[in-house]
Amino acid sequence: MAHKTGQDLIDEAKQQIEEVTPEQVRDMQARHERAVFLDVREPNEWNLGRLPHAVHLPRGNLESKVEAILDRDQKIVVYCARGNRSALAALTMKQMGYENVSSMARGFMGWADINGEIEG
Protein backbone atom coordinates (compact mmCIF):
# COMPACT_ATOMS: atom_id res chain seq x y z
CA MET A 1 0.00 0.00 0.00
CA ALA A 2 1.32 3.43 -0.94
CA HIS A 3 1.69 5.86 1.89
CA LYS A 4 0.14 9.31 1.77
CA THR A 5 2.02 12.46 2.61
CA GLY A 6 0.69 15.14 4.89
CA GLN A 7 0.07 17.28 1.81
CA ASP A 8 -1.93 14.43 0.24
CA LEU A 9 -4.21 14.39 3.30
CA ILE A 10 -4.62 18.18 3.22
CA ASP A 11 -5.42 18.14 -0.51
CA GLU A 12 -7.99 15.36 0.00
CA ALA A 13 -9.59 17.25 2.88
CA LYS A 14 -9.89 20.41 0.78
CA GLN A 15 -11.75 18.43 -1.88
CA GLN A 16 -14.33 17.28 0.69
CA ILE A 17 -15.05 20.51 2.54
CA GLU A 18 -16.20 24.02 1.78
CA GLU A 19 -13.55 26.72 1.82
CA VAL A 20 -14.28 30.41 2.22
CA THR A 21 -11.82 33.20 1.55
CA PRO A 22 -10.79 35.85 4.06
CA GLU A 23 -12.67 38.33 1.89
CA GLN A 24 -15.85 36.27 2.21
CA VAL A 25 -15.37 36.10 5.99
CA ARG A 26 -14.97 39.88 6.14
CA ASP A 27 -18.21 40.22 4.13
CA MET A 28 -19.96 37.82 6.52
CA GLN A 29 -18.90 39.99 9.44
CA ALA A 30 -20.02 43.17 7.65
CA ARG A 31 -23.47 41.57 7.16
CA HIS A 32 -23.49 40.56 10.86
CA GLU A 33 -23.97 36.96 9.78
CA ARG A 34 -24.18 34.60 12.73
CA ALA A 35 -21.14 32.35 12.66
CA VAL A 36 -18.60 30.97 15.07
CA PHE A 37 -14.98 31.57 14.10
CA LEU A 38 -13.02 28.61 15.43
CA ASP A 39 -9.27 29.13 15.77
CA VAL A 40 -7.45 25.77 15.79
CA ARG A 41 -3.93 27.19 16.12
CA GLU A 42 -1.66 26.52 19.07
CA PRO A 43 -1.83 28.80 22.16
CA ASN A 44 1.35 30.69 21.22
CA GLU A 45 -0.20 31.52 17.82
CA TRP A 46 -3.54 32.52 19.40
CA ASN A 47 -1.69 34.90 21.73
CA LEU A 48 -0.28 36.81 18.75
CA GLY A 49 -3.75 37.84 17.59
CA ARG A 50 -7.00 36.40 16.28
CA LEU A 51 -10.26 37.20 14.55
CA PRO A 52 -12.59 39.22 16.79
CA HIS A 53 -14.74 37.05 19.08
CA ALA A 54 -13.08 33.84 17.90
CA VAL A 55 -13.30 30.62 19.91
CA HIS A 56 -9.98 28.88 20.58
CA LEU A 57 -9.60 25.12 20.42
CA PRO A 58 -6.19 23.81 19.32
CA ARG A 59 -6.34 21.21 16.54
CA GLY A 60 -4.86 18.54 18.82
CA ASN A 61 -7.85 18.82 21.19
CA LEU A 62 -10.58 19.09 18.56
CA GLU A 63 -12.04 15.59 18.59
CA SER A 64 -12.18 15.33 22.37
CA LYS A 65 -13.50 18.82 23.18
CA VAL A 66 -15.45 20.31 20.27
CA GLU A 67 -18.78 18.74 21.21
CA ALA A 68 -18.71 20.43 24.61
CA ILE A 69 -18.06 23.83 23.03
CA LEU A 70 -20.01 23.99 19.74
CA ASP A 71 -23.44 22.78 18.69
CA ARG A 72 -23.68 20.80 15.47
CA ASP A 73 -26.26 23.19 13.99
CA GLN A 74 -24.10 26.33 14.31
CA LYS A 75 -22.44 27.91 11.29
CA ILE A 76 -18.70 27.48 11.89
CA VAL A 77 -15.69 28.87 10.05
CA VAL A 78 -12.49 27.13 11.11
CA TYR A 79 -9.14 28.82 10.62
CA CYS A 80 -5.47 28.26 11.37
CA ALA A 81 -2.31 30.01 10.19
CA ARG A 82 -2.44 29.14 6.48
CA GLY A 83 -5.58 27.04 5.91
CA ASN A 84 -4.14 23.53 6.13
CA ARG A 85 -4.88 22.48 9.73
CA SER A 86 -8.28 24.14 9.43
CA ALA A 87 -9.09 22.05 6.34
CA LEU A 88 -8.28 18.87 8.27
CA ALA A 89 -10.28 20.14 11.27
CA ALA A 90 -13.28 21.02 9.08
CA LEU A 91 -13.22 17.53 7.55
CA THR A 92 -13.05 15.95 11.00
CA MET A 93 -15.98 18.06 12.18
CA LYS A 94 -17.96 17.15 9.06
CA GLN A 95 -17.33 13.49 9.86
CA MET A 96 -18.55 14.18 13.41
CA GLY A 97 -21.87 15.52 12.11
CA TYR A 98 -21.20 19.26 11.87
CA GLU A 99 -23.01 20.13 8.66
CA ASN A 100 -22.42 23.88 8.36
CA VAL A 101 -18.65 24.03 8.73
CA SER A 102 -16.07 25.57 6.41
CA SER A 103 -12.37 26.33 6.45
CA MET A 104 -10.92 29.78 5.81
CA ALA A 105 -8.51 29.48 2.88
CA ARG A 106 -5.13 31.15 3.43
CA GLY A 107 -5.87 31.21 7.17
CA PHE A 108 -4.93 33.94 9.60
CA MET A 109 -2.08 34.99 7.31
CA GLY A 110 -4.62 35.66 4.56
CA TRP A 111 -6.78 37.54 7.05
CA ALA A 112 -3.85 39.77 8.00
CA ASP A 113 -2.98 40.27 4.31
CA ILE A 114 -6.41 41.84 3.64
CA ASN A 115 -6.10 43.98 6.79
CA GLY A 116 -8.88 42.11 8.56
CA GLU A 117 -9.61 43.25 12.10
CA ILE A 118 -7.34 41.56 14.63
CA GLU A 119 -8.10 41.17 18.32
CA GLY A 120 -5.59 40.58 21.04
Short mmCIF file of all heavy atoms in Angstrom, two decimals, residues 22 25-26 28-30 32-39 41 46 48-56 77 79 104 108 111-112 114-120:
data_model
loop_
_atom_site.label_atom_id
_atom_site.label_comp_id
_atom_site.label_asym_id
_atom_site.label_seq_id
_atom_site.Cartn_x
_atom_site.Cartn_y
_atom_site.Cartn_z
N PRO A 22 -10.76 34.79 3.06
CA PRO A 22 -10.79 35.85 4.06
C PRO A 22 -11.72 37.00 3.65
O PRO A 22 -12.41 37.57 4.50
CB PRO A 22 -9.33 36.31 4.14
CG PRO A 22 -8.54 35.09 3.78
CD PRO A 22 -9.37 34.43 2.69
N VAL A 25 -15.18 36.01 4.54
CA VAL A 25 -15.37 36.10 5.99
C VAL A 25 -15.59 37.56 6.39
O VAL A 25 -16.47 37.87 7.19
CB VAL A 25 -14.19 35.47 6.74
CG1 VAL A 25 -14.26 35.77 8.24
CG2 VAL A 25 -14.15 33.96 6.51
N ARG A 26 -14.79 38.45 5.83
CA ARG A 26 -14.97 39.88 6.14
C ARG A 26 -16.37 40.35 5.73
O ARG A 26 -17.03 41.08 6.47
CB ARG A 26 -13.90 40.70 5.41
CG ARG A 26 -13.94 42.18 5.75
CD ARG A 26 -12.84 42.97 5.11
NE ARG A 26 -12.83 42.75 3.66
CZ ARG A 26 -11.79 42.95 2.89
NH1 ARG A 26 -10.64 43.38 3.39
NH2 ARG A 26 -11.86 42.74 1.59
N MET A 28 -19.03 38.42 5.55
CA MET A 28 -19.96 37.82 6.52
C MET A 28 -20.05 38.68 7.77
O MET A 28 -21.15 38.93 8.29
CB MET A 28 -19.48 36.41 6.91
CG MET A 28 -19.62 35.36 5.84
SD MET A 28 -18.76 33.82 6.27
CE MET A 28 -19.53 33.38 7.82
N GLN A 29 -18.91 39.15 8.24
CA GLN A 29 -18.90 39.99 9.44
C GLN A 29 -19.60 41.32 9.17
O GLN A 29 -20.34 41.81 10.02
CB GLN A 29 -17.46 40.23 9.91
CG GLN A 29 -16.83 38.99 10.50
CD GLN A 29 -15.43 39.24 11.01
OE1 GLN A 29 -14.74 40.17 10.58
NE2 GLN A 29 -14.98 38.39 11.92
N ALA A 30 -19.39 41.89 8.00
CA ALA A 30 -20.02 43.17 7.65
C ALA A 30 -21.55 43.02 7.61
O ALA A 30 -22.27 43.97 7.95
CB ALA A 30 -19.50 43.68 6.32
N HIS A 32 -23.13 41.03 9.52
CA HIS A 32 -23.49 40.56 10.86
C HIS A 32 -24.09 39.15 10.81
O HIS A 32 -25.03 38.83 11.54
CB HIS A 32 -24.44 41.53 11.56
CG HIS A 32 -23.89 42.90 11.68
ND1 HIS A 32 -22.86 43.23 12.55
CD2 HIS A 32 -24.19 44.05 11.01
CE1 HIS A 32 -22.57 44.50 12.42
NE2 HIS A 32 -23.35 45.03 11.49
N GLU A 33 -23.54 38.34 9.91
CA GLU A 33 -23.97 36.96 9.78
C GLU A 33 -23.58 36.19 11.04
O GLU A 33 -22.46 36.34 11.53
CB GLU A 33 -23.27 36.34 8.56
CG GLU A 33 -24.12 35.37 7.81
CD GLU A 33 -23.47 34.96 6.50
OE1 GLU A 33 -23.35 35.82 5.60
OE2 GLU A 33 -23.08 33.79 6.40
N ARG A 34 -24.48 35.38 11.53
CA ARG A 34 -24.18 34.60 12.73
C ARG A 34 -23.29 33.42 12.36
O ARG A 34 -23.69 32.55 11.60
CB ARG A 34 -25.47 34.11 13.37
CG ARG A 34 -26.32 35.25 13.90
CD ARG A 34 -27.47 34.75 14.69
NE ARG A 34 -26.94 34.20 15.95
CZ ARG A 34 -27.65 33.54 16.83
NH1 ARG A 34 -28.93 33.32 16.61
NH2 ARG A 34 -27.12 33.08 17.93
N ALA A 35 -22.09 33.44 12.90
CA ALA A 35 -21.14 32.35 12.66
C ALA A 35 -20.15 32.32 13.81
O ALA A 35 -19.85 33.35 14.42
CB ALA A 35 -20.41 32.54 11.34
N VAL A 36 -19.66 31.14 14.08
CA VAL A 36 -18.60 30.97 15.07
C VAL A 36 -17.29 30.86 14.30
O VAL A 36 -17.18 30.09 13.34
CB VAL A 36 -18.81 29.68 15.90
CG1 VAL A 36 -17.64 29.45 16.84
CG2 VAL A 36 -20.12 29.77 16.67
N PHE A 37 -16.30 31.64 14.71
CA PHE A 37 -14.98 31.57 14.10
C PHE A 37 -14.10 30.76 15.04
O PHE A 37 -13.79 31.20 16.15
CB PHE A 37 -14.43 32.97 13.84
CG PHE A 37 -15.32 33.73 12.90
CD1 PHE A 37 -16.21 34.68 13.39
CD2 PHE A 37 -15.33 33.45 11.55
CE1 PHE A 37 -17.07 35.35 12.54
CE2 PHE A 37 -16.18 34.11 10.68
CZ PHE A 37 -17.06 35.06 11.17
N LEU A 38 -13.75 29.56 14.61
CA LEU A 38 -13.02 28.61 15.43
C LEU A 38 -11.55 28.61 15.05
O LEU A 38 -11.18 28.23 13.94
CB LEU A 38 -13.61 27.20 15.27
CG LEU A 38 -12.91 26.09 16.04
CD1 LEU A 38 -12.98 26.34 17.55
CD2 LEU A 38 -13.53 24.74 15.69
N ASP A 39 -10.72 29.05 15.96
CA ASP A 39 -9.27 29.13 15.77
C ASP A 39 -8.65 27.83 16.28
O ASP A 39 -8.74 27.53 17.47
CB ASP A 39 -8.73 30.33 16.55
CG ASP A 39 -7.28 30.63 16.28
OD1 ASP A 39 -6.48 29.68 16.15
OD2 ASP A 39 -6.93 31.82 16.24
N ARG A 41 -5.38 27.04 15.98
CA ARG A 41 -3.93 27.19 16.12
C ARG A 41 -3.51 26.88 17.56
O ARG A 41 -4.33 26.76 18.46
CB ARG A 41 -3.51 28.62 15.76
CG ARG A 41 -3.82 28.97 14.31
CD ARG A 41 -3.49 30.42 13.99
NE ARG A 41 -4.27 31.31 14.86
CZ ARG A 41 -3.93 32.56 15.16
NH1 ARG A 41 -2.82 33.09 14.68
NH2 ARG A 41 -4.70 33.30 15.95
N TRP A 46 -2.34 31.82 18.95
CA TRP A 46 -3.54 32.52 19.40
C TRP A 46 -3.15 33.81 20.12
O TRP A 46 -3.78 34.85 19.92
CB TRP A 46 -4.33 31.59 20.30
CG TRP A 46 -5.39 32.20 21.16
CD1 TRP A 46 -5.25 32.60 22.45
CD2 TRP A 46 -6.76 32.46 20.81
NE1 TRP A 46 -6.45 33.09 22.93
CE2 TRP A 46 -7.39 33.02 21.94
CE3 TRP A 46 -7.50 32.28 19.65
CZ2 TRP A 46 -8.73 33.40 21.94
CZ3 TRP A 46 -8.83 32.65 19.65
CH2 TRP A 46 -9.44 33.20 20.79
N LEU A 48 -0.79 35.77 19.64
CA LEU A 48 -0.28 36.81 18.75
C LEU A 48 -1.39 37.62 18.08
O LEU A 48 -1.12 38.64 17.47
CB LEU A 48 0.63 36.20 17.68
CG LEU A 48 1.90 35.54 18.19
CD1 LEU A 48 2.63 34.85 17.05
CD2 LEU A 48 2.80 36.55 18.88
N GLY A 49 -2.62 37.15 18.19
CA GLY A 49 -3.75 37.84 17.59
C GLY A 49 -4.70 36.85 16.95
O GLY A 49 -4.31 35.72 16.63
N ARG A 50 -5.95 37.28 16.78
CA ARG A 50 -7.00 36.40 16.28
C ARG A 50 -8.14 37.21 15.71
O ARG A 50 -8.20 38.43 15.90
CB ARG A 50 -7.50 35.51 17.40
CG ARG A 50 -8.04 36.30 18.58
CD ARG A 50 -8.00 35.49 19.87
NE ARG A 50 -7.97 36.31 21.05
CZ ARG A 50 -6.88 36.81 21.63
NH1 ARG A 50 -5.71 36.63 21.08
NH2 ARG A 50 -6.93 37.50 22.73
N LEU A 51 -9.05 36.54 15.03
CA LEU A 51 -10.26 37.20 14.55
C LEU A 51 -11.08 37.63 15.76
O LEU A 51 -11.10 36.93 16.79
CB LEU A 51 -11.10 36.27 13.68
CG LEU A 51 -10.76 36.24 12.18
CD1 LEU A 51 -9.42 35.61 11.92
CD2 LEU A 51 -11.85 35.53 11.42
N PRO A 52 -11.76 38.76 15.67
CA PRO A 52 -12.59 39.22 16.79
C PRO A 52 -13.63 38.17 17.19
O PRO A 52 -14.26 37.55 16.33
CB PRO A 52 -13.27 40.47 16.24
CG PRO A 52 -12.34 40.95 15.17
CD PRO A 52 -11.76 39.71 14.56
N HIS A 53 -13.74 37.95 18.49
CA HIS A 53 -14.74 37.05 19.08
C HIS A 53 -14.53 35.59 18.71
O HIS A 53 -15.46 34.79 18.80
CB HIS A 53 -16.16 37.49 18.75
CG HIS A 53 -16.42 38.95 18.99
ND1 HIS A 53 -16.42 39.50 20.24
CD2 HIS A 53 -16.62 39.96 18.12
CE1 HIS A 53 -16.63 40.80 20.14
NE2 HIS A 53 -16.75 41.11 18.86
N ALA A 54 -13.35 35.23 18.27
CA ALA A 54 -13.08 33.84 17.90
C ALA A 54 -13.09 32.94 19.14
O ALA A 54 -12.88 33.39 20.26
CB ALA A 54 -11.73 33.73 17.20
N VAL A 55 -13.35 31.67 18.89
CA VAL A 55 -13.30 30.62 19.91
C VAL A 55 -12.00 29.86 19.67
O VAL A 55 -11.68 29.52 18.52
CB VAL A 55 -14.51 29.68 19.79
CG1 VAL A 55 -14.39 28.51 20.74
CG2 VAL A 55 -15.81 30.45 20.02
N HIS A 56 -11.27 29.56 20.73
CA HIS A 56 -9.98 28.88 20.58
C HIS A 56 -10.09 27.42 21.01
O HIS A 56 -10.54 27.11 22.11
CB HIS A 56 -8.92 29.58 21.43
CG HIS A 56 -7.55 29.02 21.25
ND1 HIS A 56 -6.75 28.69 22.31
CD2 HIS A 56 -6.84 28.73 20.14
CE1 HIS A 56 -5.59 28.22 21.84
NE2 HIS A 56 -5.63 28.23 20.53
N VAL A 77 -16.82 28.66 10.96
CA VAL A 77 -15.69 28.87 10.05
C VAL A 77 -14.43 28.57 10.86
O VAL A 77 -14.14 29.24 11.84
CB VAL A 77 -15.65 30.31 9.50
CG1 VAL A 77 -14.41 30.51 8.63
CG2 VAL A 77 -16.92 30.63 8.73
N TYR A 79 -10.35 28.27 11.23
CA TYR A 79 -9.14 28.82 10.62
C TYR A 79 -7.91 28.47 11.44
O TYR A 79 -8.00 28.15 12.62
CB TYR A 79 -9.25 30.34 10.41
CG TYR A 79 -9.17 31.17 11.66
CD1 TYR A 79 -7.95 31.68 12.10
CD2 TYR A 79 -10.30 31.45 12.41
CE1 TYR A 79 -7.86 32.44 13.26
CE2 TYR A 79 -10.23 32.21 13.56
CZ TYR A 79 -9.00 32.71 13.98
OH TYR A 79 -8.92 33.46 15.13
N MET A 104 -11.33 28.52 6.44
CA MET A 104 -10.92 29.78 5.81
C MET A 104 -9.61 29.55 5.05
O MET A 104 -8.57 29.30 5.65
CB MET A 104 -10.76 30.91 6.83
CG MET A 104 -10.48 32.24 6.15
SD MET A 104 -10.62 33.68 7.24
CE MET A 104 -9.15 33.49 8.27
N PHE A 108 -5.13 32.66 8.92
CA PHE A 108 -4.93 33.94 9.60
C PHE A 108 -3.96 34.83 8.83
O PHE A 108 -4.10 36.05 8.83
CB PHE A 108 -4.42 33.70 11.03
CG PHE A 108 -4.37 34.94 11.87
CD1 PHE A 108 -5.53 35.52 12.33
CD2 PHE A 108 -3.16 35.53 12.19
CE1 PHE A 108 -5.49 36.68 13.10
CE2 PHE A 108 -3.11 36.67 12.96
CZ PHE A 108 -4.29 37.25 13.42
N TRP A 111 -5.97 36.54 6.36
CA TRP A 111 -6.78 37.54 7.05
C TRP A 111 -5.95 38.80 7.29
O TRP A 111 -6.40 39.91 7.03
CB TRP A 111 -7.29 36.96 8.36
CG TRP A 111 -8.16 37.88 9.14
CD1 TRP A 111 -7.84 38.55 10.28
CD2 TRP A 111 -9.53 38.23 8.86
NE1 TRP A 111 -8.89 39.29 10.72
CE2 TRP A 111 -9.95 39.11 9.87
CE3 TRP A 111 -10.41 37.88 7.85
CZ2 TRP A 111 -11.23 39.66 9.91
CZ3 TRP A 111 -11.69 38.41 7.88
CH2 TRP A 111 -12.09 39.30 8.90
N ALA A 112 -4.73 38.62 7.76
CA ALA A 112 -3.85 39.77 8.00
C ALA A 112 -3.51 40.46 6.68
O ALA A 112 -3.43 41.70 6.63
CB ALA A 112 -2.58 39.31 8.72
N ILE A 114 -5.34 40.95 4.12
CA ILE A 114 -6.41 41.84 3.64
C ILE A 114 -6.75 42.90 4.69
O ILE A 114 -7.76 43.57 4.59
CB ILE A 114 -7.66 41.05 3.22
CG1 ILE A 114 -8.33 40.37 4.43
CG2 ILE A 114 -7.35 40.06 2.10
CD1 ILE A 114 -9.77 39.95 4.17
N ASN A 115 -5.89 43.01 5.69
CA ASN A 115 -6.10 43.98 6.79
C ASN A 115 -7.39 43.75 7.54
O ASN A 115 -8.07 44.69 7.95
CB ASN A 115 -6.03 45.43 6.26
CG ASN A 115 -4.67 45.75 5.69
OD1 ASN A 115 -3.65 45.45 6.31
ND2 ASN A 115 -4.64 46.33 4.51
N GLY A 116 -7.72 42.46 7.75
CA GLY A 116 -8.88 42.11 8.56
C GLY A 116 -8.64 42.53 10.00
O GLY A 116 -7.49 42.60 10.46
N GLU A 117 -9.72 42.82 10.71
CA GLU A 117 -9.61 43.25 12.10
C GLU A 117 -8.98 42.15 12.94
O GLU A 117 -9.37 40.98 12.84
CB GLU A 117 -10.98 43.62 12.65
CG GLU A 117 -10.94 44.16 14.04
CD GLU A 117 -12.33 44.52 14.59
OE1 GLU A 117 -13.30 44.54 13.82
OE2 GLU A 117 -12.42 44.76 15.81
N ILE A 118 -8.04 42.52 13.78
CA ILE A 118 -7.34 41.56 14.63
C ILE A 118 -7.53 41.96 16.09
O ILE A 118 -7.36 43.13 16.44
CB ILE A 118 -5.84 41.48 14.28
CG1 ILE A 118 -5.68 40.92 12.87
CG2 ILE A 118 -5.09 40.62 15.28
CD1 ILE A 118 -4.28 40.91 12.33
N GLU A 119 -7.88 40.97 16.90
CA GLU A 119 -8.10 41.17 18.32
C GLU A 119 -6.93 40.55 19.07
O GLU A 119 -6.38 39.54 18.64
CB GLU A 119 -9.41 40.46 18.68
CG GLU A 119 -9.83 40.52 20.12
CD GLU A 119 -11.15 39.78 20.31
OE1 GLU A 119 -12.20 40.42 20.12
OE2 GLU A 119 -11.10 38.58 20.62
N GLY A 120 -6.59 41.18 20.19
CA GLY A 120 -5.59 40.58 21.04
C GLY A 120 -4.21 41.09 20.92
O GLY A 120 -3.60 41.66 20.18
#
